[in-house]
C-alpha cells in the first residue's frame, strides 16, 4: 500500500500581479468561458489565438513556465497514446492515406484530428492550471459560493456547501496524520503492508481503515460539541471577514474576454472545419 | 439532527474520500494504480444517505476543482473535471444519490441489495465518464468501451464488493463503540 505523501494544499503561487488581484468570480467565469470555447475549436488559427492569450497571461501574472507546464509531464505518455489512437483509427471517406503499415493506415484526416484533440487537452490543462496558480483556495471557494448564490432559490444549500468544504479541508489534514499513525501502530503489531499478493494487501486495509473510521467519527463528534459550545449555527446571517469586490479591472478583463470569445466564435463559424 | 451535524459529517466524508483517493495499491501490469476513491464515494452514500452524501461529494468535487489535491494521486484543479476523464468524477454525484436513496429504505439494507445499488452507482459513473470521454476525445462508443470502461471493470467490481463489506464492518463497529446512534440518514 502506498500513500501519496506531503499533501500540500493547492498549487497556488502567491503574487501581486494584475491577474492575481482580479476578483475570483471574474477568473472563474473567464475560465469556464475558455473551456467552453476549447470544446468547439476545430481550426489551428483559433489555437494560435489561444496560445497568444495564454502566453500573455503567463507574462502578466509572472508565472515561470516551469510551473505552468510541470504538471503536464505525467500526462505526456497518455497524450501521445491518444494522438496515435486518433491518427490510426480516425478517418473520413475522402481522406488521403499518408502512411500505412501492416493493417494500420494513417490518413491526413486522422493526423488533423489527433493534432486538434491533443491541443485541446493541452490547452484545457493550461487554462485551468492558470486559474489555480493565481487564485488561492479560500478565494476560489468564496467566488464559487457567490456564483452559486442564485441557486439558493431552488433549494441548493450554498452556504452549507462552502462550510462543508472548509471543514473538509481541515479534516483531510487530520485524517492524513491519523492514517500515518495507525499504519505505524499496526506495523508495530506485525502487519506487513509491503508484503504478500494483491489479496493479502487488500486484506491489510481493514486493520487500518476500521480504526480510521471510528476515530474520525469520534473527531467529528468532538468538533460538533466544540462548535455548538461556541454557538455556531451556520447558515443565515453569517458575515465574512473579507468580502468580494468587483472593480474597474474586472470590468476591463471581462470586456477583453468577451472580445476574445467573439473573435474565436467568428473563427469557428467562418473557417470551414478541415475534417 | 441539527444542521451542524449534517454539515460536519458531510465534511468528514469529504475528507475520507480525499484520503481514500490517495491510498493506492500499485498493479504490476498497469500504470494506473487501484485507488480507494470509488470506495469512499460509495461509503458516503451508504453511511450518510442521499442528501448528506450528495453534499459531501459536491464539496469533494468543488474542493478538487478549486485546486486542493484531493483527487487520486494528489491531483486537483478544474482540469480534472473539465478534461477527458472528468465524467468519471461527475458521475459520483448520481452514484452517491442512488446509493443514498437505496439505504434510506430500511428493507433494502440487506447485503445483496446494497451491492446491487452500488453496482448501479458504478454503471452511472461509467455512463457519465464514457459520455465525457467520448465527447472530448471524439471516440466512438466502442472505443470508449475498450479504453475507458472494460480495463477498469474487474477492479471496480472488486471495489464495490469491498465497499459493501466495509459498510457492514463500519456500521457494526460504530455500534460497538457507542457511536451507532448517529442518525446518519435523514
Amino acid at each position: 500500500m502506498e500513500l501519496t505523501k506531503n499533501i500540500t494544499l493547492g498549487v497556488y503561487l502567491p503574487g501581486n500581479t494584475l491577474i492575481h488581484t482580479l476578483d475570483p468570480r471574474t477568473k472563474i467565469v473567464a475560465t469556464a468561458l475558455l473551456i467552453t470555447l476549447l470544446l468547439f475549436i476545430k481550426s489551428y488559427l483559433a489555437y494560435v489565438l489561444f496560445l497568444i492569450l495564454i502566453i500573455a497571461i503567463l507574462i502578466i501574472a509572472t508565472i515561470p513556465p516551469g510551473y505552468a507546464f510541470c504538471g503536464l509531464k505525467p500526462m505526456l505518455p497518455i497524450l501521445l497514446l491518444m494522438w496515435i489512437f486518433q491518427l490510426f483509427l480516425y478517418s473520413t471517406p475522402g481522406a488521403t492515406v499518408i502512411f500505412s503499415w501492416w493493417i494500420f493506415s494513417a490518413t491526413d484526416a486522422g493526423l488533423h484530428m489527433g493534432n486538434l484533440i491533443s491541443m485541446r487537452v493541452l490547452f484545457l490543462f493550461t487554462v485551468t492550471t492558470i486559474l489555480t496558480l493565481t487564485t488561492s483556495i479560500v478565494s476560489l471557494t468564496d467566488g464559487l459560493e457567490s456564483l452559486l448564490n442564485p441557486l439558493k432559490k431552488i433549494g441548493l444549500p450554498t452556504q452549507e456547501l462552502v462550510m462543508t468544504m472548509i471543514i473538509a479541508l481541515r479534516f483531510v489534514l487530520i485524517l492524513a496524520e491519523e492514517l500515518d499513525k495507525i499504519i505505524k501502530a499496526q506495523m508495530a503489531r506485525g502487519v506487513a503492508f509491503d508484503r504478500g499478493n494483491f489479496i493479502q494487501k487488500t486484506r491489510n486495509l481493514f486493520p487500518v481503515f476500521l480504526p480510521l473510521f471510528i476515530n474520525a467519527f469520534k473527531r467529528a463528534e468532538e468538533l460538533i460539541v466544540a462548535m455548538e459550545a461556541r454557538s455556531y449555527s451556520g447558515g443565515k446571517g453569517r458575515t465574512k471577514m473579507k468580502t468580494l469586490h468587483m472593480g474597474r479591472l474586472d470590468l476591463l478583463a471581462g470586456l477583453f474576454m468577451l472580445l476574445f470569445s467573439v473573435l474565436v466564435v467568428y473563427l469557428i463559424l467562418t473557417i470551414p472545419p478541415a475534417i | 439532527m441539527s444542521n451542524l451535524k449534517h454539515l460536519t459529517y458531510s465534511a468528514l466524508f469529504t475528507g475520507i474520500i480525499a484520503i481514500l483517493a490517495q491510498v493506492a495499491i500499485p498493479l504490476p501490469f498497469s500504470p494506473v494504480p487501484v485507488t480507494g476513491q470509488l470506495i469512499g464515494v460509495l461509503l458516503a452514500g451508504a453511511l450518510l444517505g442521499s442528501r448528506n452524501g450528495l453534499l459531501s461529494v459536491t464539496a469533494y468535487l468543488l474542493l478538487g476543482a478549486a485546486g486542493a489535491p484531493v483527487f487520486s494521486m494528489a491531483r486537483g484543479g478544474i482540469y480534472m473535471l473539465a478534461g477527458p476523464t472528468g465524467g468519471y468524477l461527475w458521475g459520483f454525484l448520481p452514484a452517491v444519490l442512488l446509493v443514498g436513496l437505496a439505504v434510506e429504505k430500511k428493507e433494502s439494507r440487506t447485503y445483496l441489495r446494497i451491492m446491487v445499488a452500488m453496482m448501479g452507482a458504478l454503471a452511472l459513473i461509467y455512463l457519465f465518464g464514457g459520455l465525457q470521454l467520448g465527447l472530448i476525445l471524439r471516440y466512438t462508443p466502442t472505443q470508449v468501451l475498450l479504453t475507458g470502461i472494460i480495463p477498469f471493470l474487474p477492479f471496480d467490481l472488486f471495489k464495490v464488493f469491498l465497499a459493501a463489506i466495509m459498510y457492514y464492518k463500519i456500521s457494526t463497529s460504530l455500534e460497538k463503540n457507542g457511536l451507532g446512534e448517529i442518525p446518519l440518514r435523514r
Side-chain angles (χ1 to χ4, degrees), chain A residues 166-231:
Chain A
I166 292 166
I167 300 176
L169 262 185
R170 186 72 210 134
F171 267 131
V172 173
L173 297 176
I174 292 174
L175 288 172
E177 236 168 72
E178 193 100 13
L179 188 60
D180 193 48
K181 251 188 240 166
I182 295 172
I183 289 176
K184 281 186 183 137
Q186 298 291 35
M187 274 162 79
R189 289 176 177 81
V191 181
F193 287 109
D194 49 349
R195 256 177 262 158
N197 57 23
F198 185 71
I199 306 279
Q200 278 163 325
K201 277 183 182 165
T202 316
R203 288 187 63 164
N204 284 340
L205 294 178
F206 286 103
V208 171
F209 282 98
L210 286 181
L212 180 75
F213 269 86
I214 303 305
N215 284 348
F217 277 87
K218 282 183 183 155
R219 289 267 193 168
E221 281 295 319
E222 282 166 18
L223 183 67
I224 291 167
V225 171
M227 284 168 86
E228 269 172 353
R230 287 162 184 77
S231 299

Side-chain angles (χ1 to χ4, degrees), chain A residues 12-18 20-21 61-62 133-134:
Chain A
Y12 176 53
L13 200 66
N16 205 12
T17 67
L18 175 72
H20 284 83
T21 47
T62 59
L133 277 173
T134 59

